[in-house]
Amino acid sequence: MSTDVSGMIECRPWVHVWEGDDEDAGWQAAIDLFLLNTGNAYDALACLFGVRNSFGFRPLTEGRGLPKDASDGLRDAFNASGGPKDVWGTTWISWAELATANWDETDRSGTLSRSSAAGPRTHWAPIWDVMRTLAGLHGAEHVRLVVWFD
């Protein structure tokens, strides 16, 4: 049985302008992952999210759940996928965390790097490009990738 990843990139546009908890600085749905053709290569899912991790990667993030402050658009997409009763492995990661990750870190065997599994020369490149662009506009802490699996 295969494992498919779903999710969305969110950002908090112009939060640095409003400073603080202004309601206009809330998270906004930016783009659904299905538009960026992520595929479901298990080595990438393992090193990023700890899913199907027979490779022995130390995942960048796992098990954080749906962000409490998720945008309405993300909640709608999550619920359309079946919500917590039908999906699993829900987690998220900010661009700031991704930008400071050790992409040279390898799996348990020492032969597969995080970069070769999910780096800028893989099918994850379009996701990283979108996140990098949004981070340049709104700040690295204000861009995140939220994923779940079925």
Side-chain angles (χ1 to χ4, degrees), residues 50-114:
V51 170
R52 293 249 172 162
N53 196 2
S54 61
F55 301 89
F57 274 107
R58 185 177 59 85
L60 293 179
T61 181
E62 66 180 320
R64 289 181 170 174
L66 196 68
K68 292 182 187 333
D69 56 356
S71 67
D72 290 341
L74 183 121
R75 287 185 188 283
D76 290 347
F78 181 74
N79 290 330
S81 293
K85 67 179 175 30
D86 290 332
V87 302
W88 56 277
T90 305
T91 196
W92 59 273
I93 190 167
S94 72
W95 179 251
E97 292 170 302
L98 286 163
T100 61
N102 179 358
W103 289 92
D104 294 326
E105 187 174 335
T106 61
D107 65 352
R108 178 179 35 243
S109 72
T111 58
L112 182 62
S113 72
R114 190 179 314 282

Side-chain angles (χ1 to χ4, degrees), residues 5 36-45 117-128:
V5 61
L36 300 172
N37 191 25
T38 60
N40 65 346
Y42 294 150
D43 55 353
L45 301 182
R121 291 194 173 105
T122 69
H123 62 281
W124 284 82
I127 294 165
W128 308 148

Side-chain angles (χ1 to χ4, degrees), residues 7-71:
M8 187 169 289
I9 297 170
E10 290 187 302
C11 70
R12 292 180 69 195
W14 308 115
V15 71
H16 60 279
V17 173
W18 290 299
E19 297 180 18
D21 292 327
D22 187 295
E23 65 187 40
D24 293 327
W27 288 95
Q28 302 293 315
I31 188 167
D32 196 301
L33 291 186
F34 84 89
L35 294 171
L36 300 172
N37 191 25
T38 60
N40 65 346
Y42 294 150
D43 55 353
L45 301 182
C47 76
L48 295 172
F49 313 115
V51 170
R52 293 249 172 162
N53 196 2
S54 61
F55 301 89
F57 274 107
R58 185 177 59 85
L60 293 179
T61 181
E62 66 180 320
R64 289 181 170 174
L66 196 68
K68 292 182 187 333
D69 56 356
S71 67

